[in-house]
Amino acid sequence: MYDWDELLSPYKQAVDELKIKLRSIREQYERTSKHTPIEFVTGRVKPVTSILDKAKRKNIPLEEIDEKMQDLAGVRIMCQFVGDIDTVVDLIRMRTDFEIVEERDYIKNKKNSGYRSYHMVLRYPVQTISGEIQLLVELQIRTLAMNFWATIEHSLQYKYRGEIPSNIEKRLQRAAEAAFRLDEEMSQIRGEVQEAQEIITRNREQ
Amino acid sequence: MYDWDELLSPYKQAVDELKIKLRSIREQYERTSKHTPIEFVTGRVKPVTSILDKAKRKNIPLEEIDEKMQDLAGVRIMCQFVGDIDTVVDLIRMRTDFEIVEERDYIKNKKNSGYRSYHMVLRYPVQTISGEIQLLVELQIRTLAMNFWATIEHSLQYKYRGEIPSNIEKRLQRAAEAAFRLDEEMSQIRGEVQEAQEIITRNREQ
Amino acid sequence: MYDWDELLSPYKQAVDELKIKLRSIREQYERTSKHTPIEFVTGRVKPVTSILDKAKRKNIPLEEIDEKMQDLAGVRIMCQFVGDIDTVVDLIRMRTDFEIVEERDYIKNKKNSGYRSYHMVLRYPVQTISGEIQLLVELQIRTLAMNFWATIEHSLQYKYRGEIPSNIEKRLQRAAEAAFRLDEEMSQIRGEVQEAQEIITRNREQ
Amino acid sequence: MYDWDELLSPYKQAVDELKIKLRSIREQYERTSKHTPIEFVTGRVKPVTSILDKAKRKNIPLEEIDEKMQDLAGVRIMCQFVGDIDTVVDLIRMRTDFEIVEERDYIKNKKNSGYRSYHMVLRYPVQTISGEIQLLVELQIRTLAMNFWATIEHSLQYKYRGEIPSNIEKRLQRAAEAAFRLDEEMSQIRGEVQEAQEIITRNREQ
């Protein structure tokens, strides 16, 4: 039997370390009383059943899982505003504790399903008791509304094994539009809030 | 100087205990593979500056803060669907580890601002090294979309000290409508999902 | 197959709640700058393999495990000084969030093996999504030295399946004596520390 | 006023990251069912009052605190057996996520007070929102018994401001000897345990 625990435990370690590291970004912004671009951070190792499903679907042999499956370790950053996503991407690019091997912008180019999110694949070094190993971690950056919709879509995809009936797919798209609309309205207010803050700051300095 | 630490530390204890307790509801649903009505749970003790602001605004003497301010300890439960809120309210009413002293339904009766949320005030017993004390905890139950909007509104209220300019208020209301719309669309899908699940279950049993 | 997850998950919940609750005792003492009788708190649910071993050894049918096995949920409080144990026992007896159903003092009456510890069995109420259930939790209170020795003895017992060779047992007893000796020496200093503190306090008040 | 929060928050970040990283060593050993050389890991940032005391005592100007005070961030690894300390030191030397800048062996060369512990000073890189910074972290490796005694001694030193009366110092030394004795007895058993394990393994393979 395949020793999943041995394969996956460094990935769990990577996720735990990255959650601690990325959450500290939020704390740093809060400490300096600036608008924090990060609302919260989650992470998970892909469940074994999902790995097997995906390996079968994409025809990946078990020995090549760690090279060919880029989302064994997944970390997700949620933002309040669409505009925060760029700030987060810049912060990630600046770091020296991992290497970025790929970026995919599903916000500028949203998927047909309505899926929006910014993806990065990182090569992250983990220290084990037998030495350093490097492994791939998928980082997803999205707004709360994008995340909300994506969660629902994911469960429906899972349930219908990728073949969502067209009437349900239509409703799902209407929900995607509502989520998009919410992000748009929020972006409008973001501008207001920042303008307002600038006015307040200017008034205070006089 | 007032010893805030002494006043607030049992409230912190109550929040910590309730977070552990309410998060276990989610785990129980997951273990039995049923749709969990709880997405996540957060909690906080009201910061001292906010207590002082509110005490001044509402004319509450410092000695009466613990009786008259019901939200010194606040716990919040977030749900995916509007319909999940009723399930959570029923679960809360069934419990024997605290007493419900008040309920306010701002979903059936939303505030003029657009605020929607279900509020309960609990009387919760905390064990201290000098014996049991009972204190008030405010519990808020809302969807992710309600929460998203409420967070934004809260910061704007804070910034404009309760007097948001009318043009910004209009945008805030449009955002509230977008959030409401998103909840409506999601509720539509919830029905589909549950119907689909029933069909799947029926098919499996044949 | 027996559903261990269903049986044990409320026990896990009880352990999680009690760890949060008992750790707060330490914080309360620290906040008031008094010597804290609690050094740290740990907890665990008994692993399934250990449950099965014990059930076989003690001839307990699976259906009676939850009534007859009092240590499915175990919580442990570690103290710096032997004298702190009495303080902790008093604090436990004072609480109203559980009932004490049994106490065994293996410090006044140490076991032949050298084992010393204060045991209490609690009946603790847990709220589940199907209502309140009450379950037994074993609470062990010991010094750091008692705990250190007990950990070693436990692994040796496990390894030799309860039949430790006599030459190793002798060494284990010498270690138990060294642990006892360390506790005695520490107790001597505890007196000094407290006397010193009283002198300091008296001097300050003059 | 000096902004302690700004100075110390990257140190807090370093401590949080190192606790997660070093605790994973324990998990890796447990997963492979080998004796784990790490019992538990703790960490702390030096409290501001202690920093000020030490700066005064050692005549360190505030601007040079981060270079000259090597224990602003402190991480401690506790081991069951004295022999485990060497294993841990080797694991630390092998890592590539920090640089070791100093090692002091207070076990081979114990202090006059009776203090025993293995110290390492690490240069650890932390990612902040303004870029990478490198800072010093003190790592202490000790047995449970060494730690127990050191904790007591630390509070007495603090209380008597470094001038412990000679009668109390004598008792403290007797306690140090008892702790040393306990470590010796435990080391004896460690040998037995490992021999026993080898016999068991050999028997199993026949």
PDB file of all heavy atoms in Angstrom, chain D residues 83-107:
ATOM      1  N   GLY D  83      21.147  12.262  26.359  1.00  0.00           N
ATOM      2  CA  GLY D  83      21.689  11.825  25.075  1.00  0.00           C
ATOM      3  C   GLY D  83      20.923  12.364  23.869  1.00  0.00           C
ATOM      4  O   GLY D  83      21.458  12.422  22.756  1.00  0.00           O
ATOM      5  N   ASP D  84      19.651  12.754  24.090  1.00  0.00           N
ATOM      6  CA  ASP D  84      18.856  13.301  22.979  1.00  0.00           C
ATOM      7  C   ASP D  84      19.372  14.668  22.539  1.00  0.00           C
ATOM      8  O   ASP D  84      19.139  15.088  21.395  1.00  0.00           O
ATOM      9  CB  ASP D  84      17.385  13.465  23.397  1.00  0.00           C
ATOM     10  CG  ASP D  84      16.699  12.130  23.668  1.00  0.00           C
ATOM     11  OD1 ASP D  84      17.183  11.099  23.156  1.00  0.00           O
ATOM     12  OD2 ASP D  84      15.684  12.124  24.394  1.00  0.00           O
ATOM     13  N   ILE D  85      20.037  15.374  23.462  1.00  0.00           N
ATOM     14  CA  ILE D  85      20.470  16.741  23.149  1.00  0.00           C
ATOM     15  C   ILE D  85      21.426  16.749  21.955  1.00  0.00           C
ATOM     16  O   ILE D  85      21.302  17.582  21.060  1.00  0.00           O
ATOM     17  CB  ILE D  85      21.094  17.399  24.403  1.00  0.00           C
ATOM     18  CG1 ILE D  85      20.009  17.573  25.477  1.00  0.00           C
ATOM     19  CG2 ILE D  85      21.743  18.730  24.066  1.00  0.00           C
ATOM     20  CD1 ILE D  85      20.494  18.081  26.817  1.00  0.00           C
ATOM     21  N   ASP D  86      22.372  15.783  21.919  1.00  0.00           N
ATOM     22  CA  ASP D  86      23.304  15.721  20.780  1.00  0.00           C
ATOM     23  C   ASP D  86      22.565  15.506  19.459  1.00  0.00           C
ATOM     24  O   ASP D  86      22.903  16.115  18.439  1.00  0.00           O
ATOM     25  CB  ASP D  86      24.305  14.563  20.963  1.00  0.00           C
ATOM     26  CG  ASP D  86      25.283  14.866  22.084  1.00  0.00           C
ATOM     27  OD1 ASP D  86      25.475  16.056  22.410  1.00  0.00           O
ATOM     28  OD2 ASP D  86      25.836  13.908  22.657  1.00  0.00           O
ATOM     29  N   THR D  87      21.563  14.625  19.495  1.00  0.00           N
ATOM     30  CA  THR D  87      20.776  14.371  18.287  1.00  0.00           C
ATOM     31  C   THR D  87      20.129  15.663  17.793  1.00  0.00           C
ATOM     32  O   THR D  87      20.153  15.980  16.602  1.00  0.00           O
ATOM     33  CB  THR D  87      19.660  13.332  18.586  1.00  0.00           C
ATOM     34  OG1 THR D  87      20.238  12.238  19.292  1.00  0.00           O
ATOM     35  CG2 THR D  87      19.008  12.854  17.315  1.00  0.00           C
ATOM     36  N   VAL D  88      19.557  16.423  18.738  1.00  0.00           N
ATOM     37  CA  VAL D  88      18.896  17.676  18.355  1.00  0.00           C
ATOM     38  C   VAL D  88      19.917  18.665  17.790  1.00  0.00           C
ATOM     39  O   VAL D  88      19.677  19.310  16.760  1.00  0.00           O
ATOM     40  CB  VAL D  88      18.136  18.291  19.548  1.00  0.00           C
ATOM     41  CG1 VAL D  88      17.594  19.667  19.191  1.00  0.00           C
ATOM     42  CG2 VAL D  88      17.003  17.370  19.983  1.00  0.00           C
ATOM     43  N   VAL D  89      21.075  18.780  18.455  1.00  0.00           N
ATOM     44  CA  VAL D  89      22.109  19.701  17.966  1.00  0.00           C
ATOM     45  C   VAL D  89      22.492  19.356  16.526  1.00  0.00           C
ATOM     46  O   VAL D  89      22.605  20.240  15.670  1.00  0.00           O
ATOM     47  CB  VAL D  89      23.349  19.680  18.901  1.00  0.00           C
ATOM     48  CG1 VAL D  89      24.529  20.400  18.260  1.00  0.00           C
ATOM     49  CG2 VAL D  89      22.994  20.307  20.246  1.00  0.00           C
ATOM     50  N   ASP D  90      22.642  18.046  16.240  1.00  0.00           N
ATOM     51  CA  ASP D  90      22.971  17.633  14.863  1.00  0.00           C
ATOM     52  C   ASP D  90      21.877  18.036  13.873  1.00  0.00           C
ATOM     53  O   ASP D  90      22.170  18.497  12.773  1.00  0.00           O
ATOM     54  CB  ASP D  90      23.188  16.112  14.796  1.00  0.00           C
ATOM     55  CG  ASP D  90      24.513  15.710  15.449  1.00  0.00           C
ATOM     56  OD1 ASP D  90      25.369  16.602  15.655  1.00  0.00           O
ATOM     57  OD2 ASP D  90      24.682  14.519  15.771  1.00  0.00           O
ATOM     58  N   LEU D  91      20.615  17.840  14.278  1.00  0.00           N
ATOM     59  CA  LEU D  91      19.499  18.206  13.396  1.00  0.00           C
ATOM     60  C   LEU D  91      19.503  19.708  13.101  1.00  0.00           C
ATOM     61  O   LEU D  91      19.221  20.139  11.988  1.00  0.00           O
ATOM     62  CB  LEU D  91      18.150  17.827  14.037  1.00  0.00           C
ATOM     63  CG  LEU D  91      17.794  16.340  14.023  1.00  0.00           C
ATOM     64  CD1 LEU D  91      16.591  16.071  14.935  1.00  0.00           C
ATOM     65  CD2 LEU D  91      17.468  15.877  12.607  1.00  0.00           C
ATOM     66  N   ILE D  92      19.830  20.503  14.116  1.00  0.00           N
ATOM     67  CA  ILE D  92      19.849  21.967  13.955  1.00  0.00           C
ATOM     68  C   ILE D  92      20.974  22.373  13.000  1.00  0.00           C
ATOM     69  O   ILE D  92      20.793  23.227  12.138  1.00  0.00           O
ATOM     70  CB  ILE D  92      20.037  22.656  15.332  1.00  0.00           C
ATOM     71  CG1 ILE D  92      18.852  22.351  16.262  1.00  0.00           C
ATOM     72  CG2 ILE D  92      20.243  24.163  15.170  1.00  0.00           C
ATOM     73  CD1 ILE D  92      17.530  22.838  15.766  1.00  0.00           C
ATOM     74  N   ARG D  93      22.142  21.723  13.158  1.00  0.00           N
ATOM     75  CA  ARG D  93      23.289  22.084  12.314  1.00  0.00           C
ATOM     76  C   ARG D  93      23.053  21.758  10.850  1.00  0.00           C
ATOM     77  O   ARG D  93      23.654  22.360   9.963  1.00  0.00           O
ATOM     78  CB  ARG D  93      24.534  21.319  12.788  1.00  0.00           C
ATOM     79  CG  ARG D  93      25.115  21.877  14.077  1.00  0.00           C
ATOM     80  CD  ARG D  93      26.420  21.166  14.418  1.00  0.00           C
ATOM     81  NE  ARG D  93      26.901  21.544  15.746  1.00  0.00           N
ATOM     82  CZ  ARG D  93      27.484  20.697  16.592  1.00  0.00           C
ATOM     83  NH1 ARG D  93      27.652  19.417  16.246  1.00  0.00           N
ATOM     84  NH2 ARG D  93      27.894  21.123  17.762  1.00  0.00           N
ATOM     85  N   MET D  94      22.175  20.790  10.584  1.00  0.00           N
ATOM     86  CA  MET D  94      21.925  20.318   9.232  1.00  0.00           C
ATOM     87  C   MET D  94      20.995  21.237   8.443  1.00  0.00           C
ATOM     88  O   MET D  94      20.941  21.178   7.223  1.00  0.00           O
ATOM     89  CB  MET D  94      21.244  18.946   9.365  1.00  0.00           C
ATOM     90  CG  MET D  94      21.424  17.989   8.240  1.00  0.00           C
ATOM     91  SD  MET D  94      20.604  16.428   8.726  1.00  0.00           S
ATOM     92  CE  MET D  94      18.861  16.877   8.552  1.00  0.00           C
ATOM     93  N   ARG D  95      20.238  22.079   9.157  1.00  0.00           N
ATOM     94  CA  ARG D  95      19.186  22.874   8.491  1.00  0.00           C
ATOM     95  C   ARG D  95      19.771  23.986   7.630  1.00  0.00           C
ATOM     96  O   ARG D  95      20.848  24.492   7.909  1.00  0.00           O
ATOM     97  CB  ARG D  95      18.242  23.484   9.533  1.00  0.00           C
ATOM     98  CG  ARG D  95      17.504  22.430  10.337  1.00  0.00           C
ATOM     99  CD  ARG D  95      16.603  23.086  11.360  1.00  0.00           C
ATOM    100  NE  ARG D  95      15.489  23.764  10.722  1.00  0.00           N
ATOM    101  CZ  ARG D  95      14.244  23.290  10.668  1.00  0.00           C
ATOM    102  NH1 ARG D  95      13.958  22.148  11.256  1.00  0.00           N
ATOM    103  NH2 ARG D  95      13.292  23.973  10.057  1.00  0.00           N
ATOM    104  N   THR D  96      18.990  24.377   6.609  1.00  0.00           N
ATOM    105  CA  THR D  96      19.455  25.439   5.721  1.00  0.00           C
ATOM    106  C   THR D  96      18.594  26.705   5.837  1.00  0.00           C
ATOM    107  O   THR D  96      18.752  27.633   5.056  1.00  0.00           O
ATOM    108  CB  THR D  96      19.420  24.966   4.251  1.00  0.00           C
ATOM    109  OG1 THR D  96      18.061  24.590   3.949  1.00  0.00           O
ATOM    110  CG2 THR D  96      20.320  23.772   4.021  1.00  0.00           C
ATOM    111  N   ASP D  97      17.647  26.718   6.806  1.00  0.00           N
ATOM    112  CA  ASP D  97      16.754  27.886   6.880  1.00  0.00           C
ATOM    113  C   ASP D  97      17.232  28.951   7.863  1.00  0.00           C
ATOM    114  O   ASP D  97      16.522  29.938   8.105  1.00  0.00           O
ATOM    115  CB  ASP D  97      15.306  27.468   7.178  1.00  0.00           C
ATOM    116  CG  ASP D  97      15.192  26.594   8.414  1.00  0.00           C
ATOM    117  OD1 ASP D  97      16.232  26.062   8.873  1.00  0.00           O
ATOM    118  OD2 ASP D  97      14.074  26.447   8.928  1.00  0.00           O
ATOM    119  N   PHE D  98      18.418  28.749   8.452  1.00  0.00           N
ATOM    120  CA  PHE D  98      19.056  29.789   9.273  1.00  0.00           C
ATOM    121  C   PHE D  98      20.534  29.469   9.372  1.00  0.00           C
ATOM    122  O   PHE D  98      20.970  28.393   8.934  1.00  0.00           O
ATOM    123  CB  PHE D  98      18.417  29.897  10.668  1.00  0.00           C
ATOM    124  CG  PHE D  98      18.240  28.580  11.378  1.00  0.00           C
ATOM    125  CD1 PHE D  98      19.326  27.839  11.800  1.00  0.00           C
ATOM    126  CD2 PHE D  98      16.954  28.080  11.619  1.00  0.00           C
ATOM    127  CE1 PHE D  98      19.156  26.629  12.456  1.00  0.00           C
ATOM    128  CE2 PHE D  98      16.779  26.857  12.269  1.00  0.00           C
ATOM    129  CZ  PHE D  98      17.882  26.146  12.679  1.00  0.00           C
ATOM    130  N   GLU D  99      21.282  30.404   9.958  1.00  0.00           N
ATOM    131  CA  GLU D  99      22.730  30.232  10.094  1.00  0.00           C
ATOM    132  C   GLU D  99      23.039  30.197  11.598  1.00  0.00           C
ATOM    133  O   GLU D  99      22.436  30.947  12.371  1.00  0.00           O
ATOM    134  CB  GLU D  99      23.372  31.466   9.462  1.00  0.00           C
ATOM    135  CG  GLU D  99      24.854  31.428   9.247  1.00  0.00           C
ATOM    136  CD  GLU D  99      25.347  32.856   8.955  1.00  0.00           C
ATOM    137  OE1 GLU D  99      24.535  33.667   8.442  1.00  0.00           O
ATOM    138  OE2 GLU D  99      26.503  33.159   9.275  1.00  0.00           O
ATOM    139  N   ILE D 100      23.938  29.317  12.006  1.00  0.00           N
ATOM    140  CA  ILE D 100      24.332  29.277  13.422  1.00  0.00           C
ATOM    141  C   ILE D 100      25.505  30.230  13.612  1.00  0.00           C
ATOM    142  O   ILE D 100      26.519  30.103  12.928  1.00  0.00           O
ATOM    143  CB  ILE D 100      24.743  27.849  13.839  1.00  0.00           C
ATOM    144  CG1 ILE D 100      23.557  26.899  13.625  1.00  0.00           C
ATOM    145  CG2 ILE D 100      25.214  27.813  15.289  1.00  0.00           C
ATOM    146  CD1 ILE D 100      23.902  25.434  13.782  1.00  0.00           C
ATOM    147  N   VAL D 101      25.372  31.202  14.535  1.00  0.00           N
ATOM    148  CA  VAL D 101      26.476  32.149  14.702  1.00  0.00           C
ATOM    149  C   VAL D 101      27.279  31.893  15.970  1.00  0.00           C
ATOM    150  O   VAL D 101      28.361  32.446  16.148  1.00  0.00           O
ATOM    151  CB  VAL D 101      25.999  33.621  14.683  1.00  0.00           C
ATOM    152  CG1 VAL D 101      25.403  33.958  13.318  1.00  0.00           C
ATOM    153  CG2 VAL D 101      25.002  33.899  15.777  1.00  0.00           C
ATOM    154  N   GLU D 102      26.766  31.051  16.853  1.00  0.00           N
ATOM    155  CA  GLU D 102      27.486  30.789  18.106  1.00  0.00           C
ATOM    156  C   GLU D 102      26.906  29.553  18.778  1.00  0.00           C
ATOM    157  O   GLU D 102      25.714  29.295  18.678  1.00  0.00           O
ATOM    158  CB  GLU D 102      27.322  32.006  19.041  1.00  0.00           C
ATOM    159  CG  GLU D 102      28.420  32.138  20.065  1.00  0.00           C
ATOM    160  CD  GLU D 102      28.240  33.386  20.913  1.00  0.00           C
ATOM    161  OE1 GLU D 102      27.983  34.469  20.353  1.00  0.00           O
ATOM    162  OE2 GLU D 102      28.326  33.249  22.152  1.00  0.00           O
ATOM    163  N   GLU D 103      27.768  28.785  19.468  1.00  0.00           N
ATOM    164  CA  GLU D 103      27.300  27.650  20.268  1.00  0.00           C
ATOM    165  C   GLU D 103      28.009  27.691  21.617  1.00  0.00           C
ATOM    166  O   GLU D 103      29.209  27.942  21.685  1.00  0.00           O
ATOM    167  CB  GLU D 103      27.619  26.312  19.576  1.00  0.00           C
ATOM    168  CG  GLU D 103      26.972  26.152  18.222  1.00  0.00           C
ATOM    169  CD  GLU D 103      27.015  24.695  17.716  1.00  0.00           C
ATOM    170  OE1 GLU D 103      27.076  23.750  18.543  1.00  0.00           O
ATOM    171  OE2 GLU D 103      26.988  24.517  16.488  1.00  0.00           O
ATOM    172  N   ARG D 104      27.242  27.460  22.690  1.00  0.00           N
ATOM    173  CA  ARG D 104      27.865  27.380  24.014  1.00  0.00           C
ATOM    174  C   ARG D 104      27.333  26.143  24.730  1.00  0.00           C
ATOM    175  O   ARG D 104      26.129  25.994  24.884  1.00  0.00           O
ATOM    176  CB  ARG D 104      27.546  28.643  24.830  1.00  0.00           C
ATOM    177  CG  ARG D 104      28.574  29.771  24.600  1.00  0.00           C
ATOM    178  CD  ARG D 104      28.032  31.104  25.058  1.00  0.00           C
ATOM    179  NE  ARG D 104      26.915  31.522  24.215  1.00  0.00           N
ATOM    180  CZ  ARG D 104      26.001  32.433  24.549  1.00  0.00           C
ATOM    181  NH1 ARG D 104      26.073  33.027  25.729  1.00  0.00           N
ATOM    182  NH2 ARG D 104      25.015  32.742  23.727  1.00  0.00           N
ATOM    183  N   ASP D 105      28.239  25.283  25.155  1.00  0.00           N
ATOM    184  CA  ASP D 105      27.854  24.009  25.749  1.00  0.00           C
ATOM    185  C   ASP D 105      27.952  24.092  27.277  1.00  0.00           C
ATOM    186  O   ASP D 105      28.994  23.804  27.861  1.00  0.00           O
ATOM    187  CB  ASP D 105      28.760  22.898  25.202  1.00  0.00           C
ATOM    188  CG  ASP D 105      28.346  21.519  25.701  1.00  0.00           C
ATOM    189  OD1 ASP D 105      27.558  21.456  26.669  1.00  0.00           O
ATOM    190  OD2 ASP D 105      28.795  20.516  25.125  1.00  0.00           O
ATOM    191  N   TYR D 106      26.838  24.476  27.922  1.00  0.00           N
ATOM    192  CA  TYR D 106      26.807  24.533  29.390  1.00  0.00           C
ATOM    193  C   TYR D 106      26.422  23.184  29.987  1.00  0.00           C
ATOM    194  O   TYR D 106      25.971  23.122  31.140  1.00  0.00           O
ATOM    195  CB  TYR D 106      25.813  25.597  29.862  1.00  0.00           C
ATOM    196  CG  TYR D 106      26.192  27.000  29.483  1.00  0.00           C
ATOM    197  CD1 TYR D 106      25.314  27.820  28.774  1.00  0.00           C
ATOM    198  CD2 TYR D 106      27.435  27.532  29.846  1.00  0.00           C
ATOM    199  CE1 TYR D 106      25.657  29.106  28.418  1.00  0.00           C
ATOM    200  CE2 TYR D 106      27.785  28.826  29.491  1.00  0.00           C
ATOM    201  CZ  TYR D 106      26.892  29.601  28.770  1.00  0.00           C
ATOM    202  OH  TYR D 106      27.242  30.887  28.422  1.00  0.00           O
ATOM    203  N   ILE D 107      26.546  22.119  29.193  1.00  0.00           N
ATOM    204  CA  ILE D 107      26.319  20.800  29.782  1.00  0.00           C
ATOM    205  C   ILE D 107      27.683  20.201  30.091  1.00  0.00           C
ATOM    206  O   ILE D 107      27.952  19.820  31.224  1.00  0.00           O
ATOM    207  CB  ILE D 107      25.475  19.918  28.838  1.00  0.00           C
ATOM    208  CG1 ILE D 107      24.074  20.535  28.743  1.00  0.00           C
ATOM    209  CG2 ILE D 107      25.396  18.483  29.364  1.00  0.00           C
ATOM    210  CD1 ILE D 107      23.185  19.945  27.685  1.00  0.00           C
TER     211      ILE D 107
END
